[in-house]
Amino acid sequence: ELMTGYTMLRNGGVGNGGQPCMLRWSSRTRLSCLSFTLFIILVFFPLIGHYYLTTIDDADDAGKRIFGPRTGNELCEVKHVQDLCRIRESVSEELLQLEAKRQELNSEIAKLNLKIEACKKSIENAKQDLLQLKNVISQTEHSYKELMAQNQPKLSLPIRLLPDKDDVTFPLPKSNRNCRLHNCFDYSRCPLTSGFPVYVYNSDDYPFGSSLDPLIKQAFEATVRTNVYVTENANIACVYIILVGEMQEPVMPKPTELEQQLHSLPFWRTDGHNHLIINLSRKSETQNFIYNISTGRAMIAQSTFYDVQYRPGFDIVVSPLVHAMSEPNFLEIPPQVPVKRKYLFSFQGEKIESLRSSLQEVRSFEEEIEGNAPADYDDRIITTLKAVQDSKLDFVLVEFTCKNQPKASLPTEWALCGERDDRLELLKLSTFALIITPGDTHLVISAGCAMRLFEALEVGAIPVVLGEQVQLPYNDVIRWNEAALIIPKPRITEVHFLLRSISDNDLLAMRRQGRFLWETYFSTSDNVFSTVLAVIRTRIQIPAAPIREETAVEIPHRSGKAAGTDPNMADNGDLDLGPVETEPPYASPKYLRNFTLTAMDIYRSWNSAPGPFHLFPYTPFDPVLPSEAKFLGSGTGFRPIGGGAGGSGKEFQAALGGNVPREQFTVVMLTYEREEVLMNSLERLNGLPYLNKVVVVWNSPKLPSEDLLWPDIGVPIMVVRTEKNSLNNRFLPWDEIETEAILSIDDDAHLRHDEIMFGFRVWREARDRIVGFPGRYHAWDIPHQSWLYNSNYSCELSMVLTGAAFFHKYYAYLYSYVMPQAIRDMVDEYINCEDIAMNFLVSHLTRKPPIKVTSRWTFRCPGCPQALSHDDSHFHERHKCINFFVKVYGYMPLLYTQFRVDSVLFKTRLPHDKTKCFKFI
C-alpha cells in the first residue's frame, strides 16, 4: 500500500487525468502574484519614502524638520535622548574617577617599589656591615691571641718626668779623665720618651764668639735652625751645646778667659754635666786649645785628642768640616770604577823631626827590639816605602819632602803638602792612600790625620792607616774595617803584600762603603752635626725621632658614581683572587722596636751598602735577612706545606698565607689633567682584593672639575694636592699611605686584577726589591763610551718601570730625604727619569736587580691620549739621566737579570683531594 501511494503522488495526484494540469496552473499563478507584490513593496515604497523625507527636510520652517541634523541641546530635549546623555555623563564621571584612582594606585606602587629597593639596599649594607664587623672581631681576636702568645702586651708611654730646675749636685770623679756616662751624665734629664731635646747656646752672646771662624759659625747656625732635636726651651733640654771653635789665631782668647766664659754659661750648673763643647776644624793645623781648659763633666767633640784628654765612650772624635757652606760637587768626584788605578798607593807628607834620620842608615827591627822598643817607627816606614817604590813591582808614589812649605802641624805629626786640589788629583790616581799616624803615641788623633782620611774617602782612595792606636772619627758607631785598613806600624814590611792580596770585589766593596761613610757622616755641616747628636743619642739609648712624612693636603671631591665592572678586568673565570668587600682596610703594623734598641743596632752594613740605622730609624725589614718577619703585629705563624693548614689551592687563592698572612697595599697614581683617563683607571680598580686605599697625586696646579663625579670603588680615594708639578711627587712618603706595600701605577696603565694580585704575591716574597711588569735595560755604547737606555724586547733586564710596580714605602723615605738632591733636581729639569732614579737607588742599596712578573712588556691602555714617553726627546733625556746618575753614585749600580716570575698554576683548578703547589719560574 505504501508503494502504491508513493506512485500516485509521483504521477500528479489520483483520479482522472485532468486534475493534475489544473493544479499545476494554479500553483504558477500564485507564485507570480506573490513575486510581483514583493517587487512593488521593495521598490516603490522606499522611493516614495525617500521623496517624502527629502521634501520635508527642504521646508523653510526649521522647527518642522524631523530628520535633519539637530544641535546637542535639541537632541537632549528629546526624552529618550536626554536619558542617554545622563547615562553618558555618569559613565564619563565614573571613568574619570577610576582613572584618578588608577594613577593614585600607580603612584603608591612606585613609592612602595622604591621602599622595597631601599630596604633591599639597607639589607645588603647591613649584611656587609655585619660581615665587616665579624672580620674586625676576627682580626681583633687574632691580634689578641698573637699578643698573648708573645706575652708582649702593648703599653702606653710613661708620664714624662721633667727635671728639677735646680739639679742636685753629685761629687766629681777623682779625675776628669775618669768621666764616663754613668758618673758624669745626668740621665734624669733625658727620659726615653723625651724626644732628645737639645739646647744650643748662641755664641755671639759671649766674648769668644767674635773669635770663631765666620764660615764655621755660619754653617753651624744654619744647621741648628733646621735640626729636629733643637729646642728653645732650655729647661727641658737633655743636652746643652756650645760651639767654641775653630778660632782665628790673631783674636783667640786665652785659655783662662775661655774657661771662665764656659763656667759662666747659664746652665753650666757648677760642673757642666750634660754639656757638649764642639770644636770643629776646617784646616789641618787646628790647635787643641781645649787641652789646658778645665771642662768638668762636659763632653768634648773635636778632631784632635791626646790620650790623657780623650775619654772613650764619653768624648767624640769628629771629622773636619771642609765643605762648610757648600754641597759637594758630585760631578768632580771620580768614579769608583775601574777598581785599580794608576798607583797602588801614594803618600805625601813631611815631618821635620824625623826627616834627617830617614836619610841615614837605620837599624833593623831585630836590633831595635833587642834594645828598648822604639817610640817612633817612622824611619823604618820611610825606608820600607822607598824600597817598594824603587823595586818598581807596582807603581807607587811616596814623597817625604814637600815641594812647597808644608802645612803647620803638631809635633811628630806628618804635615800635609801642597794645596787641597793638588792632593785630591793625586788621590784620584791612587788605589790606596797611606795615612801615617803621629809618632807620638800619646796623640791618638790629629786634625791632619782626620783631613787625610776625609780627602781619601772623598775621591775613593781606600785609606790605609798605619798605627792601631788611632781613634778614627765616630769609631764607637762605625765599623771602619769595612772601609779602611788599620795596620800596626811594625807590619810595615807586610803592607805591600797585604795590599796586593786584596781582590777586586773586596776593593770595590770597601770603596763603596767609604763613599757612603763620606756622604753620610763627613760631607756637609748638616751631616757632621746630625752625626754628633746621633752618637750621643745612641749612647744614652734614646730612640730617634720619627722620620718626617709628607702631609697629604686633600682636594675635596664628590664620589658616589657606581663604578662599573670592566669585563676585561674581571675576566678571571671562577678563580677567587681574594676577599673584596669582606676585608676592611688594614694598615701595616708599626715598627715596635724603637724603645728596645741594643748595641747590635748601633750600626749595620747592608751588603756593603748604606744602612745608617741609628740615623735612620725606620727599618722595615732586616738588612741581613729580608725574608724574616720583623713586625710584631704581622703574625709569624709557620704554615706547613702539603698538609694541615695551608698548602691547598683554596688557601692560595682565598688567603695570602706566608709569614705575613694579613696584608694590603696602597695604589699611588700620578696624574696631570687627564680626568677621563683617570676615571677609567680608577673604575678598573673596583673589586680589587687586598686594596687598602688609592692615593691620587694631583700634579697639576689646576684643580679637578667641580662637577666631576668620582667612582665609588669600595675603598677610600684620597686626592692629594702637590706644591709643584714634579715627577718626584710620585715617591713622596705621604702620611695617608698606611701600608708597607705601594703599587705605583700610571693613570693610563692597563692591568688585569689577576696580574696585580700575582705581582703583589711575588713582592711579598721579595720585599726589598722592585717587583713590576714593564722591564727595561741599560747598555754600554762602545763608540761613544757612555751608557744607553733601551726599551726593546729582550731576555735580559736591569730596570722595572715604576709606572706599574710594587715597592716598599721605606724606599719612598730614602728617595725623598736621603738620595742626593742632585738626582731629584735632574728629574725636575727633564720632567723625566724618576723611575730610573728609583731603580738606581734600590739596586745601590740591595745590590740586587728588580723582579719582572709576567711576560708583558707594555701596559698602556688602548685609546688613551699620547703620553710623554712617545716624544722623540724622551729617550735622549733618559740616556743623559743614566750617565748623570752614574756620576753621582760613582759607579753603575744596576744589575742585569734574566730571571722572570710567571705563574704556572695560578689559574689552574685541580681536584680538592690533590695537593696543590704553585711554582715560580
Side-chain angles (χ1 to χ4, degrees):
E1 291 179 358
L2 291 174
M3 291 298 296
T4 302
Y6 175 72
T7 304
M8 290 175 65
L9 288 173
R10 291 187 59 188
N11 291 330
V14 293
N16 55 23
Q19 285 180 335
C21 293
M22 290 298 293
L23 291 172
R24 285 194 295 271
W25 180 84
S26 177
S27 298
R28 291 172 182 170
T29 302
R30 286 195 298 269
L31 290 173
S32 299
C33 292
L34 180 61
S35 301
F36 180 78
T37 303
L38 290 174
F39 176 78
I40 294 299
I41 294 172
L42 295 175
V43 174
F44 286 97
F45 274 91
L47 292 176
I48 294 171
H50 181 268
Y51 175 78
Y52 176 74
L53 294 174
T54 304
T55 303
I56 294 177
D57 289 338
D58 291 339
D60 296 334
D61 189 0
K64 296 181 180 180
R65 282 183 289 177
I66 300 174
F67 301 100
R70 299 177 183 273
T71 62
N73 295 330
E74 292 175 345
L75 292 175
C76 291
E77 292 176 357
V78 184
K79 185 177 181 180
H80 67 280
V81 175
Q82 292 177 352
D83 294 338
L84 293 175
C85 289
R86 285 194 298 269
I87 294 173
R88 186 188 64 178
E89 293 175 356
S90 176
V91 171
S92 300
E93 185 177 357
E94 290 179 358
L95 290 176
L96 292 175
Q97 293 176 357
L98 290 175
E99 179 64 22
K101 290 182 178 180
R102 188 184 68 83
Q103 293 181 358
E104 184 179 356
L105 291 175
N106 288 337
S107 177
E108 293 180 359
I109 292 173
K111 292 180 180 179
L112 291 176
N113 288 333
L114 292 177
K115 291 182 179 180
I116 292 173
E117 294 296 328
C119 291
K120 289 181 179 180
K121 291 183 179 180
S122 300
I123 293 173
E124 292 296 328
N125 294 334
K127 289 181 179 180
Q128 295 296 331
D129 294 341
L130 179 61
L131 190 56
Q132 291 182 0
L133 288 175
K134 289 182 179 180
N135 289 331
V136 171
I137 294 173
S138 176
Q139 291 178 0
T140 305
E141 291 177 351
H142 183 72
S143 301
Y144 176 75
K145 291 179 181 179
E146 284 184 347
L147 292 175
M148 294 302 296
Q150 296 169 357
N151 194 22
Q152 293 180 350
K154 292 185 178 181
L155 303 177
S156 60
L157 295 178
I159 300 176
R160 181 179 177 184
L161 300 178
L162 297 178
D164 295 333
K165 185 175 181 180
D166 297 328
D167 294 340
V168 179
T169 59
F170 47 97
L172 286 170
K174 295 181 180 180
S175 172
N176 290 339
R177 187 180 177 184
N178 297 328
C179 257
R180 299 295 185 269
L181 289 176
H182 69 276
N183 58 2
C184 288
F185 190 86
D186 185 6
Y187 279 90
S188 65
R189 300 198 64 87
C190 307
L192 288 176
T193 59
S194 64
F196 191 60
V198 174
Y199 179 79
V200 180
Y201 291 100
N202 186 2
S203 300
D204 292 335
D205 296 339
Y206 305 96
F208 64 84
S210 59
S211 303
L212 295 176
D213 185 295
L215 289 179
I216 288 184
K217 183 169 65 173
Q218 185 178 358
F220 183 79
E221 292 175 351
T223 300
V224 167
R225 285 194 297 267
T226 59
N227 194 276
V228 297
Y229 297 106
V230 175
T231 179
E232 296 181 357
N233 187 357
N235 294 323
I236 65 171
C238 170
V239 175
Y240 302 85
I241 296 179
I242 182 66
L243 178 69
V244 298
E246 181 177 55
M247 288 192 177
Q248 297 173 316
E249 291 288 343
V251 292
M252 181 181 298
K254 296 180 180 180
T256 55
E257 296 177 355
L258 180 59
E259 180 177 333
Q260 292 177 357
Q261 295 175 25
L262 290 177
H263 291 182
S264 63
L265 293 175
F267 302 98
W268 186 262
R269 298 185 179 90
T270 69
D271 56 6
H273 62 272
N274 290 46
H275 275 66
L276 174 66
I277 301 174
I278 298 181
N279 179 23
L280 299 176
S281 60
R282 194 168 60 90
K283 305 174 184 177
S284 62
E285 58 269 22
T286 301
Q287 300 298 319
N288 184 15
F289 60 88
I290 303 181
Y291 180 76
N292 297 319
I293 295 177
S294 174
T295 57
R297 287 193 172 98
M299 297 173 286
I300 300 175
Q302 61 180 10
S303 300
T304 302
F305 279 104
Y306 284 96
D307 56 356
V308 296
Q309 179 189 16
Y310 179 69
R311 297 163 291 185
F314 193 74
D315 295 326
I316 303 174
V317 179
V318 299
S319 59
L321 189 61
V322 177
H323 301 286
M325 291 301 297
S326 62
E327 294 286 338
N329 189 352
F330 291 100
L331 299 180
E332 296 180 357
I333 300 175
Q336 299 184 28
V337 290
V339 176
K340 294 182 178 179
R341 299 175 177 176
K342 178 180 179 180
Y343 298 112
L344 177 63
F345 60 83
S346 65
F347 177 81
Q348 285 182 326
E350 181 175 348
K351 188 171 69 170
I352 304 298
E353 293 81 1
S354 60
L355 184 58
R356 293 181 180 178
S357 60
S358 65
L359 302 178
Q360 302 173 356
E361 182 180 359
V362 295
R363 297 179 299 168
S364 64
F365 278 129
E366 292 78 5
E367 294 174 344
E368 292 177 346
I369 292 176
E370 289 179 357
N372 295 327
D376 188 358
Y377 285 98
D378 289 355
D379 292 343
R380 173 57 65 180
I381 292 174
I382 293 174
T383 303
T384 304
L385 296 181
K386 284 185 175 181
V388 174
Q389 184 180 23
D390 296 339
S391 67
K392 297 183 180 181
L393 295 175
D394 290 292
F395 286 104
V396 299
L397 191 151
V398 290
E399 295 179 355
F400 301 103
T401 304
C402 296
K403 298 177 181 179
N404 299 321
Q405 183 66 27
K407 303 294 182 181
S409 61
L410 297 174
T412 72
E413 181 187 14
W414 287 92
L416 294 172
C417 295
E419 299 298 329
R420 168 178 158 80
D421 293 339
D422 298 332
R423 296 195 300 270
L424 293 180
E425 290 300 322
L426 176 60
L427 292 175
K428 291 178 182 179
L429 302 175
S430 306
T431 305
F432 296 94
L434 296 184
I435 301 175
I436 305 176
T437 58
D440 186 0
T441 56
H442 298 292
L443 187 60
V444 295
I445 186 63
S446 65
C449 287
M451 185 65 68
R452 290 181 183 273
L453 180 66
F454 180 95
E455 294 176 352
L457 295 176
E458 181 178 5
V459 297
I462 300 174
V464 180
V465 182
L466 297 179
E468 77 283 1
Q469 81 283 356
V470 67
Q471 298 290 334
L472 296 181
Y474 322 119
N475 60 336
D476 54 345
V477 294
I478 293 180
R479 295 179 182 176
W480 279 106
N481 58 349
E482 297 179 353
L485 296 174
I486 303 176
I487 304 173
K489 287 185 177 181
R491 294 191 179 276
I492 183 58
T493 57
E494 301 172 321
V495 168
H496 186 208
F497 166 78
L498 179 61
L499 299 184
R500 294 191 64 182
S501 64
I502 300 177
S503 65
D504 290 353
N505 290 336
D506 292 337
L507 288 177
L508 183 59
M510 296 180 70
R511 181 173 296 164
R512 186 166 53 242
Q513 185 69 6
R515 172 70 175 272
F516 157 70
L517 295 178
W518 179 79
E519 289 182 0
T520 307
Y521 306 111
F522 293 69
S523 57
T524 64
S525 58
D526 287 339
N527 292 340
V528 172
F529 185 68
S530 298
T531 304
V532 170
L533 294 184
V535 170
I536 300 176
R537 180 180 49 75
T538 304
R539 287 176 177 176
I540 62 178
Q541 300 179 347
I542 293 182
I547 191 167
R548 179 172 61 92
E549 290 190 313
E550 290 294 325
T551 302
V553 180
E554 184 178 8
I555 300 177
H557 61 279
R558 293 190 303 159
S559 61
K561 175 184 175 183
T565 301
D566 189 343
N568 296 325
M569 297 296 100
D571 186 15
N572 301 313
D574 59 348
L575 179 63
D576 183 9
L577 296 179
V580 184
E581 298 179 357
T582 60
E583 183 76 2
Y586 177 74
S588 297
K590 301 295 184 181
Y591 186 64
L592 301 178
R593 293 188 59 206
N594 281 347
F595 290 98
T596 58
L597 297 177
T598 59
M600 72 176 188
D601 297 308
I602 292 177
Y603 179 84
R604 293 184 183 183
S605 64
W606 184 3
N607 297 329
S608 299
F613 296 111
H614 64 290
L615 289 176
F616 195 78
Y618 185 77
T619 54
F621 38 77
D622 195 315
V624 180
L625 299 174
S627 61
E628 180 185 356
K630 293 284 290 181
F631 295 90
L632 302 181
S634 300
T636 57
F638 176 73
R639 303 176 64 85
I641 298 177
S648 67
K650 178 64 176 177
E651 287 291 333
F652 182 85
Q653 295 174 6
L656 288 176
N659 294 326
V660 188
R662 291 180 299 154
E663 189 170 21
Q664 295 178 342
F665 62 91
T666 301
V667 168
V668 176
M669 187 177 295
L670 187 71
T671 186
Y672 185 89
E673 294 184 2
R674 297 199 295 183
E675 295 181 353
E676 182 178 357
V677 175
L678 175 63
M679 295 302 107
N680 293 333
S681 297
L682 292 176
E683 287 188 4
R684 286 194 293 268
L685 299 177
N686 183 33
L688 182 61
Y690 302 110
L691 179 58
N692 182 273
K693 71 174 60 172
V694 178
V695 177
V696 177
V697 181
W698 193 264
N699 226 21
S700 171
K702 180 182 177 182
L703 296 180
S705 304
E706 295 182 357
D707 57 348
L708 183 62
L709 193 60
W710 295 69
D712 183 5
I713 60 175
V715 297
I717 297 179
M718 173 69 67
V719 186
V720 179
R721 177 186 298 178
T722 58
E723 295 181 356
K724 65 176 182 178
N725 178 20
S726 172
L727 293 180
N728 293 315
N729 296 332
R730 178 195 298 271
F731 302 124
L732 285 174
W734 302 104
D735 56 358
E736 289 295 332
I737 301 177
E738 299 177 322
T739 61
E740 299 174 33
I742 296 177
L743 173 57
S744 174
I745 189 170
D746 289 340
D747 58 0
D748 57 355
H750 199 264
L751 295 174
R752 299 194 309 271
H753 285 190
D754 62 301
E755 292 176 322
I756 295 176
M757 286 309 306
F758 182 68
F760 181 48
R761 293 179 183 275
V762 173
W763 175 85
R764 284 165 45 83
E765 302 294 331
R767 307 173 72 88
D768 59 335
R769 300 163 80 172
I770 299 177
V771 176
F773 300 88
R776 301 293 185 265
Y777 65 95
H778 67 288
W780 179 250
D781 184 7
I782 298 178
H784 299 88
Q785 294 294 295
S786 62
W787 294 102
L788 296 176
Y789 170 85
N790 204 314
S791 63
N792 296 331
Y793 289 88
S794 173
C795 295
E796 194 170 51
L797 60 96
S798 59
M799 292 175 282
V800 167
L801 301 186
T802 54
F806 286 92
F807 63 90
H808 203 288
K809 188 181 179 182
Y810 179 67
Y811 295 125
Y813 295 102
L814 295 180
Y815 184 98
S816 302
Y817 304 139
V818 179
M819 189 179 69
Q821 181 63 36
I823 296 179
R824 293 189 292 272
D825 293 340
M826 185 78 167
V827 172
D828 287 336
E829 178 182 355
Y830 285 156
I831 317 179
N832 199 344
C833 307
E834 85 287 355
D835 46 2
I836 301 178
M838 177 59 80
N839 278 271
F840 265 70
L841 174 65
V842 177
S843 295
H844 172 64
L845 293 172
T846 63
R847 304 305 303 135
K848 298 177 184 178
I851 297 178
K852 173 176 169 53
V853 293
T854 74
S855 60
R856 293 186 58 179
W857 204 258
T858 59
F859 57 92
R860 299 293 180 188
C861 60
C864 289
Q866 193 174 24
L868 294 175
S869 58
H870 294 279
D871 192 356
D872 294 337
S873 62
H874 175 76
F875 288 93
H876 297 289
E877 293 173 351
R878 294 173 86 81
H879 299 330
K880 296 179 181 178
C881 288
I882 286 185
N883 288 279
F884 179 78
F885 296 165
V886 169
K887 290 182 180 179
V888 173
Y889 282 97
Y891 75 110
M892 169 55 74
L894 298 179
L895 299 174
Y896 293 107
T897 180
Q898 294 182 347
F899 176 80
R900 190 184 77 205
V901 181
D902 285 334
S903 173
V904 178
L905 298 177
F906 186 72
K907 285 191 174 183
T908 303
R909 288 160 293 279
L910 300 176
H912 290 286
D913 57 346
K914 303 295 184 181
T915 301
K916 300 180 183 179
C917 60
F918 299 85
K919 302 178 181 179
F920 294 151
I921 63 171

